[in-house]
Amino acid sequence: MRKKKLIVGNWKMNPRTLPLARTNFLSIKKAASAYKNVEAVIAAPFVYIPELAKLASAGLSIGAQNVSAEKEGAFTGEISASMLASLKVKYCIVGHSERRELGETNEFINKKIKQLLSAGIAPILCVGERDRDHGMLYLGTVKTQLEECLAGISKNMMGRIVIAYEPVWAISSTANRRDATPEDCQEMHIYIRKVLADMSGGTVADSVAILYGGSVDEKSAAGFIATGGADGLLPGRASLNPKTFLAIIKKTNELK
Ligand code: PGA
């Protein structure tokens, strides 16, 4: 069952150096352990993971932002799920819109999810529509993403998956972006849970954590959870400043 709220900082291709990554990670870790209702994770660039994993604790664990769709072998430049598992990586983001932009398809993401699950890493599957300008078609977009990315995954394994709803139009790096409201978030969270229930039954659907991501900051965080129904958050830009990220954790921790 979903208990603690999950707050995952997506550092993307930041910060610029390993010493800075260490400093930021340590200041988050120092304060995060006091917030018992929250599980905090930093999804770091691959090259920082070995160092940060040594510093990880029960209060702040380490995640990755991508993984190979293949198990092992001649795949130059790729990083496998078992390599990540050997560094105590607990979570891995897959299907982020910035990677879909590079050509990743639902079928490809499905292969990555299967690799992660067999290595014991929880996939954080990002779904979300590019815009809301075409009637209710955006619901269908997210449904297809869920059905294709999660095809062939057993009910047993489904409970280990985390879904992150990230409407592309609300992400901080999107040109002419606009804010999503807690109501936008709530509508899609209900819908995602329904799609999951149709795929795997109500009990499994209820056990899956559904996060919200897209320009979350310390002001908007509580609304996405309290009104929006999110089980946690996936802040990008706001996770780069330890103070802001900790403020998001604190606000979340205060919610019942
Ligand atoms: P943002 O990023 O909070 O900077 O919008 C979220 C994400 O892209 O995961």
Side-chain angles (χ1 to χ4, degrees), residues 13 32 47 63 70 80 87 89 94 123 126 148 153 157 163 166-167 176 178 183 187 191 225:
M13 200 168 72
V47 289
E70 304 296 334
S80 73
L87 295 171
V89 167
V94 282
C126 297
E148 294 184 357
I153 290 165
M157 287 295 183
I163 307 290
E166 296 211 311
N176 303 319
R178 57 197 171 83
E183 289 72 24
E187 175 198 51
Y191 184 71
I225 294 175

Side-chain angles (χ1 to χ4, degrees), residues 10 12 93 96-98 126 166 170-173 177 213-216 234-238:
N10 178 8
K12 306 192 180 182
I93 296 172
H96 192 282
S97 57
E98 288 156 11
C126 297
E166 296 211 311
I171 291 179
S172 66
S173 55
R177 62 160 301 282
S215 301
V216 172
L234 181 57
R237 187 173 289 179

Side-chain angles (χ1 to χ4, degrees), residues 20-169:
L20 199 51
R22 275 181 57 96
T23 307
N24 288 353
F25 191 87
L26 282 172
S27 45
I28 296 166
K29 175 182 146 178
K30 212 167 138 215
S33 58
Y35 302 121
K36 303 290 180 208
N37 303 327
V38 172
E39 180 181 358
V41 182
I42 292 294
F46 284 139
V47 289
Y48 297 159
I49 290 176
E51 271 303 296
L52 300 184
K54 286 186 213 151
L55 309 173
S57 64
L60 183 63
S61 50
I62 193 84
Q65 302 171 12
N66 189 24
V67 69
S68 173
E70 304 296 334
K71 193 164 190 265
E72 63 182 342
F75 300 99
T76 303
E78 292 290 300
I79 306 283
S80 73
S82 63
M83 291 173 188
L84 296 176
S86 75
L87 295 171
K88 301 203 199 90
V89 167
K90 268 179 86 174
Y91 294 93
C92 181
I93 296 172
V94 282
H96 192 282
S97 57
E98 288 156 11
R99 295 209 61 85
R100 290 180 188 263
E101 194 66 31
L102 299 174
E104 291 199 8
T105 61
N106 291 333
E107 289 72 17
F108 191 55
I109 295 162
N110 177 256
K111 287 177 78 179
K112 294 183 176 203
I113 291 175
K114 288 176 177 159
Q115 294 296 345
L116 289 169
L117 289 171
S118 47
I121 297 173
I124 301 176
L125 168 63
C126 297
V127 295
E129 74 282 7
R130 298 224 132 260
D131 58 56
R132 286 200 173 191
D133 293 340
H134 306 290
M136 299 291 268
L137 287 181
Y138 59 90
L139 295 177
T141 303
V142 171
K143 183 173 189 232
T144 305
Q145 288 174 340
L146 289 167
E147 288 176 347
E148 294 184 357
C149 292
L150 299 174
I153 290 165
S154 68
K155 284 190 182 185
N156 220 1
M157 287 295 183
M158 251 340 207
R160 300 211 202 153
I161 291 169
V162 176
I163 307 290
Y165 171 51
E166 296 211 311
V168 181
W169 49 268

